[in-house]
Amino acid sequence: GKTISGEGTVTVTGSHSSTDLSNITSAVLDITGATLTSPTLPSSVASGDELKITAAQISAATIAGEGTITVSGSHSSTDLSNITPALLDISGATLTSPTLPSSVASGDILTLTAAQANSASITNSGTVRIELSASAALAASSDIDAITGTIAFVESDAPTVAVTTLSVASGQTLTISAAQVSGKTISGEGTVTVTGSHSSTDLSNIT
């Protein structure tokens, strides 16, 4: 129930039930080291601020705002459908059968792994960043043709830098829409399956 603000970091540890974090508005709030039962989480993250939280803690929560939410840890059936900050990064989490946000608003960014993006359906007016390995290879099959809008492939060690050449590993399949694949450079020993309708699709660099 405390009210804490400022440009520093608040790190929460220990175990507690019904912890009220709704008035913690520090630049960084890190609760990943805490075991919380039925907590009251902040309802929003302000621009320039970051909430670090585990998948178990955030599941089924509703959090908006212009800041960043970084999700970590392992969890099954994580419900992220009402998590809508300007930047949501779930690439560091191990999620089994999650419910992802169904949309990404204009100007917002969702960062996730190729495995997390597999078979996802996202109406994307912002940017969906799909993290690859440091070698820019798609190591596991991924079906991303139900993600609309701007998709940026990025390396895990440089998530703000777009991959210029994507490689699909042997035995793996990338399923991607004609609109998404147009103009991209994709190589490798795997399979690229293009779906949907699009005009003037440029496949000249798919090798």
Side-chain angles (χ1 to χ4, degrees):
K2 294 277 191 303
T3 299
I4 306 175
S5 61
E7 297 305 309
T9 297
V10 173
T11 301
V12 180
T13 62
S15 302
H16 195 252
S17 297
S18 303
T19 306
D20 184 357
L21 302 170
S22 58
N23 293 312
I24 310 298
T25 57
S26 56
V28 178
L29 172 58
D30 185 348
I31 64 173
T32 58
T35 301
L36 305 176
T37 304
S38 302
T40 301
L41 299 175
S43 61
S44 66
V45 180
S47 178
D49 291 353
E50 180 180 10
L51 171 62
K52 297 181 179 181
I53 188 169
T54 68
Q57 291 166 342
I58 201 172
S59 184
T62 298
I63 308 176
E66 297 302 315
T68 297
I69 296 177
T70 303
V71 181
S72 60
S74 301
H75 193 248
S76 297
S77 303
T78 308
D79 183 358
L80 300 169
S81 57
N82 292 310
I83 308 301
T84 57
L87 176 57
L88 173 60
D89 186 348
I90 64 173
S91 62
T94 302
L95 306 177
T96 303
S97 302
T99 301
L100 300 179
S102 61
S103 63
V104 177
S106 177
D108 291 354
I109 298 172
L110 169 62
T111 303
L112 70 174
T113 66
Q116 292 167 342
N118 184 36
S119 299
S121 179
I122 301 173
T123 302
N124 172 33
S125 298
T127 299
V128 173
R129 289 179 180 160
I130 299 178
E131 284 197 358
L132 307 173
S133 66
S135 62
L138 185 73
S141 293
S142 190
D143 181 349
I144 60 170
D145 66 346
I147 302 175
T148 64
T150 301
I151 291 178
F153 292 101
V154 296
E155 294 183 16
S156 57
D157 57 352
T160 62
V161 179
V163 170
T164 56
T165 301
L166 168 65
S167 175
V168 181
S170 177
Q172 307 306 321
T173 299
L174 171 64
T175 303
I176 187 170
S177 73
Q180 294 164 348
V181 79
S182 184
K184 288 202 166 43
T185 300
I186 305 176
S187 61
E189 299 302 312
T191 299
V192 176
T193 300
V194 181
T195 65
S197 302
H198 192 251
S199 298
S200 304
T201 307
D202 181 1
L203 302 173
S204 59
N205 292 311
I206 311 298
T207 57

